[in-house]
Amino acid sequence: MRLQNKLILVICSLLALVTLSLGGTFYYLMSSALEEQIGTRALKVAETVAAVPDIRKAFTLAEPSAVIQPIAESIRLKTGAEYIVIGSREGIRYSHPLPERIGKEMVGGDNGPVLEGRSIVSRAVGSLGPALRGKTPVKNESGDVIGIVSVGFLTKDIDVLTETYRYRIVWLTLGVLLVGAIGAVLIARSVRSSIHGLEPREIGSLYMEKQAILETIREGILAVNREGVVTLANPYALRLLGLPEHSDITGRPLQELLPNTRLTEVISSGQAEFDQEMLIGSHEVIVNRVPITGWNGGIEGAVSSFRSKSELYRLAEELSQVRRFADALRAQTHEYSNKLYLISGLIQLEAYQEAVDLIARESDVHQNLVAFLMREIPDPMIGGLLIGKYNRSRELKVIFEIDRESSFRDLPPGVDRSLLVTVIGNLADNAMEAVLACGDPAGRGVKLFLTDLGEDLIIECEDTGIGIPDEAGDSVFAKGFSTKEGEHRGIGLALVQHAVHKLGGYITYQPHPGGGTVFTAAIPKNGRGTERRALQ
């Protein structure tokens, strides 16, 4: 059975049950109230009759019925009662709607409480049939009970009245059921439309798929309703918020968890925001915020996705490393190809000695460089990077010198080598580009100094390039800032600063005396942040 039919059946069943229950309850309350009202009316009439002075006096006469019967019948006709029977203490009738029954004994068996001086309302079977009657004592001037007044309304007359109301209630109930059935159809159609025609099993499958996606996605997801209350948060978002992975924050105001959120502004404006930077605790993140549009076109809330900036930087660093390795291999291949062509030419010209000298000279240069790196910078990642940069510089005709006083032998195991490669590689690339930007790089070059003496690792890269304007300040480390023309620039120094901060250090720069710039990075060996101090 489809969802729409199920909804109609359930709603109609509930409506029928409620309507019948309410109808039956109303009928019972109405019948009880009508019966109580008629009983009260009968008792009031009886008390009024018992208080008539002529009736009291008639009890002292030899023929009480001669006085009592006309008075009782007159009152009965005016009040609409079925009968008014007045009798003595012994239960002998002095009045009755049927005169031939006067002088006979009252029936019903409910005179006992009345003879004790109490007024009652009772159901009993009298001489005219079952009746609801009010009974009260007739007292003399001294307060003694001298007779009984019984005013009755036949139950069949009461049943006629209740039957009339019963039919009205039945028709009203049927009308309510009909309106409810129509409403159930409309509600079922509306519900089906709002859930896009999906069946319960399909909704359950979509929910399980959504949960699986939220748990596996490598981005934080937060959703709120119009009031800014959290309706959804995946484990990655909880981790960035500093909460246990299985915490349930649904129903909590987002302002309590993330005071600097802009999701409420997105709900108000209805405008999406993409690739915005913000701080969540100690994490820098890139955020996207999108309003949630309801089925009626209104804004029902907003959803935010965010990812740690450090992860994005790590991806950029990995891509940068791959590019650097590829460039180093290409430069090395190109350089050796040139040397092989040169040697081939010398051999063809039979300049054998010159060929031997060239081979010896090139071999000495590379052997000396490799020997120095293996001795003073034994880490293979950093050593391989420096060889690649050396080959690249020779291809670009830029002097690249590694200070022979450098030493990077005391590298703590806890220092991330990939971050060090990012710092050294980007500083070297940036320096060579600054030299090439001069137009005539002849006589200009790059010098790199590395040392692990003391508590810090010091990386110093100086170039004799175009330099950095004085007004640039720390903006040189901002993403997109560059003193060189062209697209896709302004990334290297931003990656350097991020990597240095991740390592707990700092980086500064100052003008080179001969033109150009000197960058100095200090990275603590113990992994704790180093106090920033000027390096001269």
Side-chain angles (χ1 to χ4, degrees), residues 334-523:
H334 186 268
E335 180 70 13
Y336 278 102
S337 295
N338 289 336
K339 294 297 185 294
L340 287 175
Y341 285 130
L342 177 57
I343 294 170
S344 176
L346 291 173
I347 293 174
Q348 291 178 28
L349 294 174
E350 298 183 357
Y352 302 119
Q353 187 58 45
E354 287 79 359
V356 171
D357 292 342
L358 176 62
I359 294 172
R361 186 169 60 253
E362 291 296 325
S363 177
D364 287 343
V365 169
H366 278 277
Q367 286 180 0
N368 289 336
L369 177 62
V370 171
F372 168 74
L373 293 177
M374 291 180 65
R375 183 178 66 256
E376 299 297 336
I377 307 175
D379 187 272
M381 288 185 66
I382 299 176
L385 173 70
L386 294 178
I387 291 175
K389 293 305 174 187
Y390 176 79
N391 292 329
R392 176 64 174 163
S393 68
R394 298 193 66 178
E395 180 189 15
L396 296 175
K397 309 303 181 187
V398 173
I399 300 172
F400 182 75
E401 180 185 355
I402 301 174
D403 194 313
R404 296 300 167 160
E405 297 297 324
S406 296
S407 175
F408 240 38
R409 288 180 290 181
D410 185 20
L411 288 183
V415 176
D416 192 331
R417 299 308 196 264
S418 62
L419 293 177
L420 286 177
V421 167
T422 296
V423 174
I424 298 170
N426 280 287
L427 285 177
D429 287 342
N430 188 70
M432 284 189 278
E433 289 180 1
V435 171
L436 291 172
C438 292
D440 181 16
R444 298 176 179 270
V446 177
K447 186 174 183 179
L448 184 66
F449 173 70
L450 308 174
T451 182
D452 54 8
L453 298 178
E455 298 180 355
D456 296 336
L457 301 175
I458 305 298
I459 302 170
E460 185 176 279
C461 183
E462 62 181 63
D463 66 77
T464 53
I466 58 175
I468 297 175
D470 294 338
E471 62 273 11
D474 286 341
S475 59
V476 296
F477 299 109
K479 183 179 178 182
F481 178 89
S482 178
T483 59
K484 298 173 283 292
E485 297 181 356
E487 297 181 356
H488 309 296
R489 294 192 176 275
I491 302 296
L493 289 179
L495 288 174
V496 169
Q497 185 186 52
H498 180 75
V500 169
H501 286 174
K502 288 280 288 184
L503 292 168
Y506 65 88
I507 182 169
T508 62
Y509 73 94
Q510 59 187 2
H512 190 277
T517 311
V518 179
F519 283 91
T520 304
I523 298 166

Side-chain angles (χ1 to χ4, degrees), residues 128-289:
L128 296 179
L132 181 66
R133 49 195 187 178
K135 308 190 79 169
T136 191
V138 180
K139 297 180 180 180
N140 57 19
E141 293 179 355
S142 60
D144 298 328
V145 177
I146 58 175
I148 300 170
V149 177
S150 177
V151 178
F153 292 87
L154 295 180
T155 55
K156 64 180 181 179
D157 295 333
I158 299 174
D159 292 340
V160 171
L161 286 174
T162 56
E163 192 74 18
T164 302
Y165 286 108
R166 182 187 303 144
Y167 286 125
R168 293 178 182 176
I169 292 172
V170 169
W171 283 111
L172 179 61
T173 301
L174 292 176
V176 170
L177 286 174
L178 179 60
V179 173
I182 296 173
V185 173
L186 296 176
I187 291 173
R189 288 181 178 176
S190 175
V191 170
R192 183 173 176 80
S193 174
S194 64
I195 61 175
H196 306 287
L198 297 174
E199 295 298 315
R201 182 176 298 176
E202 296 171 331
I203 295 173
S205 297
L206 287 176
Y207 176 79
M208 298 304 295
E209 290 175 8
K210 184 201 75 171
Q211 290 299 109
I213 291 171
L214 289 176
E215 290 180 3
T216 57
I217 195 170
R218 297 293 297 168
E219 286 192 8
I221 304 292
L222 271 176
V224 297
N225 59 17
R226 280 181 294 184
E227 289 73 34
V229 175
V230 177
T231 58
L232 181 146
N234 70 340
Y236 191 88
L238 296 174
R239 196 178 313 131
L240 287 181
L241 289 170
L243 299 172
E245 188 170 332
H246 299 290
S247 298
D248 185 9
I249 61 173
T250 303
R252 293 179 59 181
L254 184 58
Q255 288 286 352
E256 293 182 1
L257 303 167
L258 200 59
N260 59 336
T261 180
R262 281 186 50 81
L263 276 182
T264 51
E265 285 80 356
V266 171
I267 295 173
S268 302
S269 65
Q271 300 296 318
E273 298 179 354
F274 297 101
D275 298 328
Q276 303 292 313
E277 295 186 9
M278 73 174 293
L279 196 65
I280 298 181
S282 60
H283 302 281
E284 292 182 64
V285 296
I286 303 297
V287 186
N288 297 314
R289 307 179 185 94

